[in-house]
Amino acid sequence: MQSGTAGGRDRPAGWKVEAVGTDSSDQAELRELVRSILADHAPDERVARLDESETFDEEFYGHLGAAGLIGLGADPATGEDADPRHEIVVLEELGAGHTSMAVCLVVQYMALRLLSHYGDDEQRKRVLVPLAEGSGRCAFALSEEDGGTDIARAMRTKAVQDGSGWVLSGRKTWISGAATSGYAIVLARTSEDAGSAIDGITMFLVPLDAAGVSVRVLDTAGIHGLDTCEVTFDDVRLDGSTVLGRVGAGFRQVIGTLNGERLNAAAVALGIARGALRSAVEYASQRQAFGRSIGGFQALQHALVDGAVRVESARGLLIRAADAAGAGEAQSDTFSAMAKIAAADAATDITDAGMRVMGGAGYSREYPMQRYFRDARLYTFAPLTNEMLRNFVGERWLGLPRSY
Ligand SMILES: Cc1cc2nc3c(=O)[nH]c(=O)nc-3n(C[C@H](O)[C@H](O)[C@H](O)COP(=O)(O)OP(=O)(O)OC[C@H]3O[C@@H](n4cnc5c(N)ncnc54)[C@H](O)[C@@H]3O)c2cc1C
């Protein structure tokens, strides 16, 4: 491995991309806090090793919890949401430095938000408070084999009332962190004749060690530092206290929190884009060909400049979307859809350019570029595909006929 080129932590001379002038003083403080935790506890070699061994970084998660960065997702005492600008600062930094951990936090922030909005006092005390302190985790289980985009129509997982409790059966797939979490928020159909596909679905707070629950880790192309799982429910008996929110209204309640998840996914994608760009620029500054650094060749320089433009554009849109969400603007979900498209496209384009700029080294596992390249793919389709988000923007922003 060439010294100084592995992780992109040593800034190339003159590098300006991380000079985030739009942060308020508390956002800047938060950014510095995450950067210092990354510098102290997640050197590139460690992140690479955990990715290779497909191991979740429990120790690093503990450091985030101790610093209060998990509880940022929701205030258990007041039930108030975090400032979206705070969440995106944390997730951009983690996306660049410890991507699998950033994906884990996107799920935790979503779970915390659902628990703080819809949990009763007992659920909040038993699950939300420890989660917010960084003790234990909660997965979010919506997708199934027959459909992610059209999940409400495709949902086969069901829960049938049995006295005061429920019997849950079915299978969820692609569930992040289920093998390393204590709970999962599971969406299951509880009524077949609710009128529309999105009604008649209920959220359950399921302990993942309950009898009848089995978890199988799936083999995926990226995000190797966080398990992706299939979770099967074989007539799992749940008591009434596991219902989260209102019976039959679970899907609508989840839709209400998806805006935040979209913003957070965009922030991670932005972090990946920035981290990959830095690695590529650093490499291009050092690698020599024809007696000069390859960064001096215009063809490569322009590709890297396009990357910088994509990063700054995506960040600008993300901040616009986060501010719209914070202010409760009517169009905030359209802005967050645009921000997610922009950041995910930036991450895929920049990691592709990075692979080309680095030649054979981009393909080597000794450098982080191939990891960024693999990890970036996730947010082209999760939590919602960019195609589906384009459908929303076409309809809601351009006034075009509904295309789905
Ligand atoms: C690593 C990983 C982690 C994940 N984590 C979670 C998790 O924690 N919890 C969870 O619930 N899910 C999770 N998912 C699932 C993820 O949210 C889905 O993969 C995603 O919603 C897309 O669904 P799908 O894969 O079934 O694709 P499909 O819905 O089958 O879509 C396939 C293609 O068809 C296109 N398409 C479908 N409908 C339309 C339309 N109307 N117009 C245009 N194009 C359309 C899509 O855009 C896509 O290109 C994860 C997935 C992965 C791989």
Side-chain angles (χ1 to χ4, degrees), residues 54 172-175 216-220 227-231:
E54 306 199 359
K172 296 287 179 182
T173 195
W174 313 121
I175 306 310
R216 182 170 74 90
V217 177
L218 302 171
D219 204 5
T220 56
D227 46 284
T228 306
C229 306
E230 179 186 85
V231 189

Side-chain angles (χ1 to χ4, degrees), residues 56-58 60-61 64 94 98-106 225:
F56 181 72
D57 195 346
E58 285 290 354
F60 188 82
Y61 192 77
L64 294 179
L94 290 177
H98 204 333
T99 309
S100 292
M101 190 55 68
V103 175
C104 173
L105 248 65
V106 171

